[in-house]
Amino acid sequence: MKVLTDNFSTYWHGFLGTLWLTLVSAALALALGVLVAGCRVSPVRPLRTFGTAWVTVLRNTPLTLLFFVVVLGLPRFDVTLPFFTFAVLALGCYTSAFVCEVLRSGVNTVPAGQGEAARSLGMTFGQTLGVVVLPQAYRSVVAPLGSVMIALAKNTAIAGSFSVTELLGVYRPLNELGYGIVWTFVWIAAGYLVITLAISLLFSLLERRAAVAR
């Protein structure tokens, strides 16, 4: 306990950094994921091609490499942003590919007749997707989305290598102060466990609410 009590402010600062990075990246990932999923199921071929390319490239690119592309590549085009923003872009874009595929799988569970009925009423593709299809697809994708968000929370650990304040980076100053590396990492792991359990609980509640609505 001494490692934690003597350095609680350091741990707390890192914990809040990881939590905030997870929340902002999750918001970006969900927004992009919905848009790209719409492209993937769109009747417009160029949009489907774009959606397929987005998912294929990002899902098959190591996240660390994507961080290097964002942090080192964007400044070459005179895009200068805080390292936190770069980390959000890398994590959000990467996770959006997985969100997209989860949503697309949910869309495929909705009977085709639902979309046809909406179109027969004069609804546009956007209206059909947003009002008819996605609300029904949501019920079947809550649990998989929770798993994606848990993975996102753990992936934030990479941001510490790019000058972003987060939980895993706590080990560096504590190691320099001579604290035991094992107990340092035990409390870091406990912090990640708190975050992932909170996400798991949240999505369990959402899943139960969706099940009742069904």
Side-chain angles (χ1 to χ4, degrees), residues 36-37 39-41 44-61 66 93-94 96-98 100-101 104:
V36 178
C39 291
R40 290 276 275 160
V41 299
V44 181
R45 185 178 180 85
L47 290 180
R48 291 201 308 273
T49 301
F50 168 78
T52 301
W54 179 278
V55 170
T56 302
V57 171
L58 290 176
R59 287 183 70 189
N60 293 285
T61 300
L66 186 59
C93 291
Y94 179 79
S96 70
F98 296 90
C100 167
E101 289 302 273
R104 188 170 70 92

Side-chain angles (χ1 to χ4, degrees), residues 50-207:
F50 168 78
T52 301
W54 179 278
V55 170
T56 302
V57 171
L58 290 176
R59 287 183 70 189
N60 293 285
T61 300
L63 181 55
T64 304
L65 177 59
L66 186 59
F67 263 91
F68 276 112
V69 169
V70 172
V71 174
L72 302 179
L74 291 182
R76 292 180 178 271
F77 298 94
D78 296 325
V79 179
T80 304
L81 298 169
F83 282 111
F84 179 86
T85 306
F86 280 136
V88 168
L89 287 175
L91 288 165
C93 291
Y94 179 79
T95 307
S96 70
F98 296 90
V99 172
C100 167
E101 289 302 273
V102 168
L103 292 176
R104 188 170 70 92
S105 67
V107 168
N108 290 335
T109 65
V110 178
Q114 297 287 324
E116 294 172 357
R119 286 192 295 273
S120 70
L121 294 175
M123 288 186 176
T124 64
F125 171 75
Q127 291 173 327
T128 300
L129 192 64
V131 178
V132 178
V133 178
L134 283 181
Q136 296 183 69
Y138 161 77
R139 298 170 183 169
S140 62
V141 302
V142 176
L145 272 180
S147 297
V148 171
M149 293 300 110
I150 288 173
L152 169 61
K154 294 185 288 186
N155 284 339
T156 58
I158 299 177
S161 301
F162 295 88
S163 303
V164 177
T165 300
E166 51 77 45
L167 191 55
L168 184 61
V170 169
Y171 87 90
R172 295 189 188 90
L174 297 191
N175 188 43
E176 293 173 358
L177 292 173
Y179 287 95
I181 194 68
V182 173
W183 286 107
T184 298
F185 277 111
V186 165
W187 291 113
I188 289 173
Y192 279 107
L193 185 62
V194 169
I195 293 174
T196 55
L197 286 179
I199 295 173
S200 179
L201 177 61
L202 172 62
F203 277 87
S204 293
L205 292 174
L206 292 175
E207 187 176 17

